[in-house]
Amino acid sequence: MREVPKHIGFIMDGNGRWAKARLMPRTAGHLAGLKALKKVIKGCVEEGVSYVTLYCFSTENWTRPKDEVDYLMGLFSEKIMGELPFYNENGIRLLTLGDISVLPDDARKALLEAVEATKGNTKITVQLAINYGGQDEICRAVNAALAEGITKITPEVIRAHFDNPDVPPADLIVRSAGEKRLSNFLLFDSAYSEFVFYDKLWPDWGAKDVSAAIDEYNSRTRKFGGVKQ
Ligand code: IPE
Ligand code: IPE
Ligand code: MG
């Protein structure tokens, strides 16, 4: 039987290259990427995936040109709440992942508002990873545990202090645009993830690509360090 991964993480890469190929500014690629993102989420809902993590902005992406960073922050503040009917019609509960305390006020408020407005949806949970870095996530969790007086750090303690401890580790991590690296995504929760890399640039993605990635996931044998006959 075809097994649907419970949690898929998407490294949405290639927006800039997509725009460059069309002689458009990189920002146009990000806008096109947003449209692809909706198609991919819909595909995940149709497949019955329970959790999706979308890598939207890394702790390293602040080093990009200011106009590009400003544009992305603008997308978070202006577009997220505008999609409320889409989330509610599809049963999407939004969560944020990453340190959003340092985001511009408008973006942070829009994200918190969207999380609040969708908290009753139960079909799928979508984590928006913004100002997210896997190293930062682990350090924040360890510091939170130390601040509580915990002196023995274990994998369980670290997980329990994550932003959303109830979200399980990623079964499948998918990256678009040909690059074969994690770029600081889900370092802890990718311990036993399967990886799928496709050359297609993110703005060209849709539900069919989700289905293809799940097919490829089904061709893998997960062993978690054990032995499978
Ligand atoms: C991914 O696309 C989107 C973000 C990192 C926000 P890129 O902007 O990295 O696109 P390329 O890699 O330059 O093509
Ligand atoms: C990873 O893509 C970050 C996001 C998708 C948000 P990058 O384009 O920033 O990663 P590198 O620089 O190619 O490793
Ligand atoms: Mg990139």
Side-chain angles (χ1 to χ4, degrees):
M1 220 184 80
R2 187 166 178 275
E3 193 192 323
V4 175
K6 202 165 176 191
H7 179 185
I8 308 183
F10 290 94
I11 303 176
M12 310 185 287
D13 199 16
N15 293 351
R17 278 163 275 176
W18 184 93
K20 194 174 176 200
R22 285 160 183 76
L23 307 177
M24 287 154 86
R26 292 178 54 83
T27 49
H30 295 314
L31 191 60
L34 200 64
K35 293 187 185 130
L37 184 152
K38 282 178 69 181
K39 290 184 206 162
V40 166
I41 295 177
K42 239 177 146 184
C44 289
V45 172
E46 280 158 17
E47 290 277 0
V49 176
S50 303
Y51 298 91
V52 166
T53 302
L54 301 166
Y55 204 5
C56 304
F57 193 91
S58 74
T59 46
E60 289 72 48
N61 286 150
W62 296 106
T63 60
R64 295 190 176 202
K66 188 180 180 303
D67 64 336
E68 183 173 346
V69 171
D70 289 348
Y71 184 84
L72 286 165
M73 293 299 146
L75 281 188
F76 302 143
S77 56
E78 285 156 29
K79 296 283 181 200
I80 292 202
M81 274 306 278
E83 297 293 350
L84 210 52
F86 170 75
Y87 311 135
N88 291 335
E89 277 158 27
N90 289 286
I92 299 164
R93 175 175 73 129
L94 291 181
L95 293 175
T96 63
L97 178 66
D99 180 9
I100 62 164
S101 70
V102 298
L103 296 188
D105 284 351
D106 288 357
R108 191 180 58 257
K109 278 186 200 144
L111 285 164
L112 292 174
E113 225 175 299
V115 169
E116 179 64 24
T118 59
K119 69 178 182 195
N121 294 336
T122 55
K123 203 148 195 187
I124 191 167
T125 296
V126 174
Q127 296 195 106
L128 302 173
I130 298 177
N131 189 30
Y132 173 84
Q135 294 175 337
D136 179 64
E137 176 178 50
I138 295 166
C139 292
R140 283 192 300 122
V142 170
N143 282 320
L146 294 177
E148 285 172 17
I150 295 171
T151 51
K152 188 167 163 54
I153 301 296
T154 63
E156 291 73 26
V157 165
I158 293 178
R159 270 210 113 256
H161 290 82
F162 276 170
D163 292 333
N164 307 312
D166 296 336
V167 176
D171 299 297
L172 174 63
I173 292 180
V174 179
R175 183 167 187 151
S176 59
E179 247 62 73
K180 293 174 183 67
R181 54 177 173 256
L182 269 178
S183 303
N184 207 4
F185 186 54
L186 299 185
L187 295 188
F188 194 89
D189 269 349
S190 61
Y192 277 99
S193 305
E194 296 298 326
F195 291 86
V196 169
F197 300 99
Y198 291 137
D199 287 338
K200 193 188 267 191
L201 304 177
W202 181 256
D204 294 325
W205 277 55
K208 277 209 300 256
D209 302 291
V210 173
S211 173
I214 295 177
D215 286 346
E216 189 163 342
Y217 174 79
N218 273 266
S219 74
R220 309 282 176 84
T221 306
R222 301 186 78 190
K223 299 197 288 186
F224 300 96
V227 175
K228 201 137 196 176
Q229 303 302 341

